[in-house]
Amino acid sequence: MVRFSVLFAALATLASRVVVATPIAERQTGCTLTWNGSTITGYADGSEGVCRYTVRYGTANRWTDSVATTSLGTTNALPPSCPQISASAGNPLSAATQSEDCLYITLYVPADATATSHQPVLAWLHGGAYTFGSDSAAGFDGAGLAANGGIIVAAIQYRLGVLGNIPPTVAPSGTDPNFALRDVLLAINTLRARHNDFYGDNSLITLGGQDSGASIIRALWGVSGAVGKFSSMILQSDPLSYGFASTATTNSLATLLASQPALSGSTLTTFANWQALPVSTLIAAQNTLVNTASATIAGLPITGAIRPTWGGTTLPQDPTRLLISNPSSLAISPASVPLLITNTKNEAGSAIQYLWSTPITLNATRYSNVLGALLGSTRATTLLASGSPYALPTTDSTGDIMRQTLERTIADGAWRCPARTLANAYAAAGGTVYVGEWTKGVTYPTNAVGSGAYCTGGAVCHSDDIYPLFQSAPSPSGTTLLLEEEVSNVWTNFVNVLPVGSWSTFTGTTGVTGTNVHAIGNGTIGACPSSYWGSTVQWDWQIYTS
Ligand SMILES: *[C@@H]1O[C@H](CO)[C@@H](O)[C@H](O)[C@H]1NC(C)=O
Ligand SMILES: *[C@@H]1O[C@H](CO)[C@@H](O)[C@H](O)[C@H]1NC(C)=O
Ligand SMILES: *[C@@H]1O[C@H](CO)[C@@H](O)[C@H](O)[C@H]1NC(C)=O
């Protein structure tokens, strides 16, 4: 926080409730809180002037609802991650330790916060396609943002993969499999109940997330239990063309799960059999499931087979579709919760990075095969037959123009253009909405692959917003420092429900081509052709409605 004296001066003039960090010497020396009557000790991040506390918010038997707990676990270390591919197998989004006992919140509290200071709270949901990620993922250290913004960052873990979303067909959960969604609700309710204990302001809780973490927040638009629980929302890089799974789709996935090779030697007649399976066996089955399911089940996003399910009690209808067709029937009224929605400039670079990292020369056949795998043959055919900017380049000896066209096509179709359409709908329904596009970023470890790769060569790929958001880039300087400063300013103001600097709110259809979309990091932002996405080429949630 000592990095941004100019920023602090600017923030201090904005509102008295923005608490300016004091020099470290004046801060409390220890990191202790009284949590529901018990004294807990956290980890003192002296360099940032922040106390980090980890608290267990719930416990759950496998494929049953989580319940609140008074047993908080170890509070001065990061929690075990929920089961997923292991860190030792090359997954940078997991802690070294994993456990099904993973329902924790990691709190980053400015050390000068007190019982009377009531800091605003950014409750954060990590991404990872619903199957990866944790509070220990690279860059997810909330200390820098907490210190620079004078806010509390509360990172929430929730169950992942089949354990959080796809119970076996014999499970008693029936048509309402959304354990992960209900974990998040329990975590939010815990933050609300205990806000005085960690010096948080109950009336200023922003729920933010990236990737599938943002998608979970979008799902909460349709969840009645989420109403009135938070004051604003931040969706970063939500793949907004994807809807949620119908009950029929989730049932098909549950059936397909049972037929995975990893489970072939197991007796799985009863729910108790499934609950007793070694978790490593389940994760092995999940890995083949997510890689193969889209070949046999229609409408699964190739990068996110496992998702929340609509059609049951928790999430009766797909809220994405409701926002467009019948916004007044959403559980959360857009008029009541401001929304900040961002995409990175080159979202799709991460997904198709392999086309750069190995010297594959694209040709027309391979191009249409990749496009068909990503979007299905109907949409691929329409896109290939369309004019600029998605037409297949005719002369391209190195494949560079083809790669860039492919990246633009997927970035527009899955992220940029639905973000602007949904922002329009949110504004039309009375909501305050800000839209940003990251034109600069810091390469995330999952994007730093191969030689001569696209994302390390200046593109701003999916997840390249994580380090600047959390102010966690190693040794920031120059552009990175300016970017962190801009982000800290805008995000902190938004969490405080203050005007967001020079940003204008997003209104009207002109926004589709770029007006009122703010470039985070300056430079030019991408435009969406008008009346193309959502009509000539439809989004998943328009096509897969049952
Ligand atoms: C607080 O602790 C008491 C027992 O000491 C427990 O009954 C209660 O459920 C706890 N409340 C929360 C919100 O954890
Ligand atoms: C196109 O690329 C594919 C895959 O790299 C290759 O098998 C095929 O021979 C190529 N076709 C032409 C006409 O070069
Ligand atoms: C963007 O431009 C503004 C105005 O010139 C400047 O203050 C800011 O630092 C720039 N941001 C970045 C990331 O370069």
Side-chain angles (χ1 to χ4, degrees), residues 440 479 482-483 486 521-522:
K440 291 202 171 65
T479 303
L482 291 177
L483 184 61
E486 179 179 348
N522 301 325

Side-chain angles (χ1 to χ4, degrees), residues 15 18 115 137-138 188 207-208 220 263 269 287 340 398 407 421 434 475 487:
V18 176
I188 296 167
L207 192 53
L220 294 180
L263 303 181
T269 317
N287 291 341
L340 170 61
T398 63
E407 192 274 305
T421 295
Y434 298 93
S475 310
V487 170

Side-chain angles (χ1 to χ4, degrees), residues 1-4 7-8 45 47-50 108 110 139-151 153 467-473 484 488 492:
M1 70 294 122
V2 284
R3 299 203 292 256
F4 301 147
L7 171 67
F8 283 134
D45 188 336
S47 64
E48 295 285 9
V50 163
Y108 297 86
F140 278 88
D141 181 340
L145 181 58
N148 291 332
I151 63 174
V153 176
Y467 281 102
L469 169 68
F470 286 109
Q471 322 269 290
S472 58
E484 287 195 352
S488 174
T492 302

Side-chain angles (χ1 to χ4, degrees), residues 212-229:
S212 49
S215 305
I216 286 175
I217 300 168
R218 173 162 51 110
L220 294 180
W221 294 352
V223 174
S224 59
V227 175
K229 299 290 171 66

